[in-house]
């Protein structure tokens, strides 16, 4: 078939994680709990950073943006999923599906770029501590975040426009709990070569590039830490980037799990289950990782709650 919307399908059916009616209340309660924890946890991080002048530094500026992106990322998926379970409807319109794809890609790529920017921030802090505030000045920090958003918006817009050229010839069921780009391309009955080419090229460029930057940053950080003579100095230097390293490992390991599960035959269900890790679990755990391992965040959170700070 020639590319184009020869038959404009009006809606899709999201099959979700399970079609068993008895499991729906359990899934609804579990995902509602995780969503509320994600939103309130990341809001607390944002509030703590905004209210404490001691946290108005480059590292916490990037963390502030990461928490905001995590809230938006999860909010793109979970409310629609909960609504479908509550109303016992699996329907999502074509327009809503495209909108969900746009914002999913936007916030996912923003997350990746912010993690790489935070790795660079830790590199400068540990390798060039005396010049840290000069290098990581407010202008550069703002520029890094702005460029991350611009690239994410343009990439997301490109994929969304590429979706418009595809034809869907029948009523389709999506074996997922959200409209995932790769799943949607597989459902199309028109030529998808260009869509697949753009998707994989963007994945290599926008995921592999930042990941290479993160690996380079941490290779330099490890080298710098090994040169520190005292054990206490090594521990202090490592502790400043331990939280970020934990988040990076969790995010990329779950992304790798999704890729491996989707590459396996007859893996639609396993892919959707693994997707829960990076779409819901990782954003939920980020506030705990940063707050539990960070004395400054703990102090700010105690001040907000009203607990006396020693």
């Amino acid at each position: 078939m020639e590319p184009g919307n020869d038959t404009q399908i009006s809606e899709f059916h999201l099959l979700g994680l399970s079609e068993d009616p008895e499991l729906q209340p359990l899934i609804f309660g579990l995902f509602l709990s995780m969503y509320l924890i994600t939103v309130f946890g990341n809001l607390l991080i944002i509030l703590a950073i905004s209210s404490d002048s001691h946290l108005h530094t480059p590292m916490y500026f990037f963390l502030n943006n990461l928490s905001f992106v995590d809230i938006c990322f999860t909010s793109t998926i979970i409310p629609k999923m909960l609504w479908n379970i509550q109303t016992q409807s699996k329907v999502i319109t074509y327009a809503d599906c495209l909108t969900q794809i746009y914002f999913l890609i936007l916030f996912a790529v923003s997350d990746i770029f912010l993690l790489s920017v935070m790795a660079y921030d830790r590199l400068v802090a540990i390798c060039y501590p005396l010049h840290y505030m000069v290098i990581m000045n407010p202008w550069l920090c703002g520029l890094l975040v702005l460029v991350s958003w611009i690239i994410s918006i343009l990439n997301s817009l490109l994929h969304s426009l590429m979706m418009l050229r595809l034809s869907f010839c029948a009523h389709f069921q999506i074996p997922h709990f959200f409209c995932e780009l790769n799943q949607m391309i597989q459902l199309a009955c028109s030529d998808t070569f260009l869509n697949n080419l753009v998707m994989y090229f963007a994945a290599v460029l926008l995921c592999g590039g930042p990941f290479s930057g993160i690996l380079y940053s941490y290779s330099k950080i490890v080298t710098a830490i090994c040169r520190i003579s005292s054990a206490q100095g090594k521990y202090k230097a490592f502790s400043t980037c331990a939280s970020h390293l934990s988040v990076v490992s969790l995010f990329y390991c779950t992304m790798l799990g999704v890729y491996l599960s989707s590459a396996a035959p007859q893996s639609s269900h396993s892919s959707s289950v693994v997707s829960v890790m990076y779409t819901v679990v990782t954003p939920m755990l980020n506030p705990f990782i940063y707050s539990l391992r960070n004395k400054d965040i703990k102090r700010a959170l105690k001040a907000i709650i009203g607990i006396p700070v020693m």
Side-chain angles (χ1 to χ4, degrees):
M1 290 183 61
E2 291 297 323
N5 286 322
D6 298 321
T7 301
Q8 181 63 60
I9 192 168
S10 61
E11 61 184 34
F12 297 94
H13 274 197
L14 293 170
L15 298 183
L17 293 172
S18 173
E19 296 186 71
D20 187 349
E22 295 181 358
L23 289 178
Q24 299 310 306
L26 176 62
I27 294 174
F28 181 86
L30 180 62
F31 275 80
L32 177 60
S33 301
M34 290 193 293
Y35 178 64
L36 292 176
I37 292 171
T38 300
V39 172
F40 287 121
N42 282 287
L43 279 177
L44 276 176
I45 294 292
I46 293 173
L47 184 60
I49 293 172
S50 302
S51 62
D52 192 335
S53 58
H54 295 95
L55 300 182
H56 294 174
T57 62
M59 181 176 75
Y60 294 111
F61 171 71
F62 297 131
L63 177 57
N64 210 359
N65 280 271
L66 183 67
S67 294
F68 172 73
V69 169
D70 282 342
I71 292 173
C72 296
F73 184 50
T74 309
S75 297
T76 305
I77 304 169
I78 303 305
K80 176 60 178 175
M81 177 188 181
L82 296 177
W83 174 260
N84 283 0
I85 294 175
Q86 183 66 22
T87 59
Q88 298 181 354
S89 169
K90 299 178 182 293
V91 173
I92 183 169
T93 66
Y94 177 77
D96 286 346
C97 204
L98 283 181
T99 303
Q100 192 176 65
I101 288 174
Y102 173 84
F103 285 107
L104 273 173
I105 297 172
L106 170 63
F107 295 125
V109 174
S110 297
D111 220 325
I112 291 169
F113 272 98
L114 284 172
L115 289 174
S116 64
V117 167
M118 292 171 77
Y120 174 71
D121 172 73
R122 293 299 83 207
L123 165 67
V124 176
I126 292 174
C127 298
Y128 310 99
L130 298 179
H131 304 284
Y132 176 67
M133 294 308 298
V134 176
I135 297 174
M136 299 303 295
N137 57 74
W139 184 87
L140 179 62
C141 293
L143 181 63
L144 289 172
V145 171
L146 179 62
V147 170
S148 299
W149 277 106
I150 290 174
I151 295 175
S152 301
I153 290 170
L154 293 177
N155 173 66
S156 186
L157 184 61
L158 173 62
H159 285 296
S160 300
L161 293 175
M162 290 292 293
M163 282 296 299
L164 292 175
R165 66 182 292 275
L166 297 179
S167 298
F168 298 92
C169 310
H171 186 80
F172 278 108
Q173 294 180 328
I174 303 173
H176 222 301
F177 60 95
F178 62 92
C179 290
E180 198 262 338
L181 179 64
N182 188 42
Q183 293 278 353
M184 294 299 297
I185 292 175
Q186 291 177 14
L187 290 178
C189 61
S190 56
D191 181 22
T192 60
F193 173 77
L194 188 57
N195 291 76
N196 281 311
L197 182 65
V198 171
M199 180 178 66
Y200 288 117
F201 178 77
V204 171
L205 185 65
L206 301 181
C207 294
F211 184 63
S212 300
I214 291 172
L215 291 179
Y216 172 77
S217 295
Y218 274 102
S219 67
K220 300 287 286 184
I221 288 171
V222 169
T223 302
I225 291 176
C226 290
R227 291 174 181 168
I228 299 175
S229 56
S230 67
Q232 184 178 0
K234 289 182 178 179
Y235 174 79
K236 184 177 180 181
F238 179 76
S239 63
T240 62
C241 57
S243 297
H244 177 258
L245 188 58
S246 301
V247 171
V248 168
S249 302
L250 183 63
F251 184 81
Y252 274 97
C253 285
T254 53
M255 289 282 283
L256 180 62
V258 171
Y259 172 77
L260 293 176
S261 63
S262 63
Q266 298 178 341
S267 61
S268 295
H269 178 69
S270 60
S271 177
S272 63
V273 172
V274 177
S275 295
V276 173
M277 290 298 297
Y278 82 90
T279 58
V280 184
V281 176
T282 301
M284 180 185 69
L285 292 180
N286 284 355
F288 293 100
I289 293 172
Y290 279 105
S291 60
L292 292 176
R293 300 186 63 91
N294 191 303
K295 293 180 180 179
D296 294 330
I297 293 289
K298 284 182 184 178
R299 185 187 66 246
L301 289 173
K302 287 179 180 178
I304 292 173
I305 298 171
I307 301 175
V309 180
M310 300 300 293

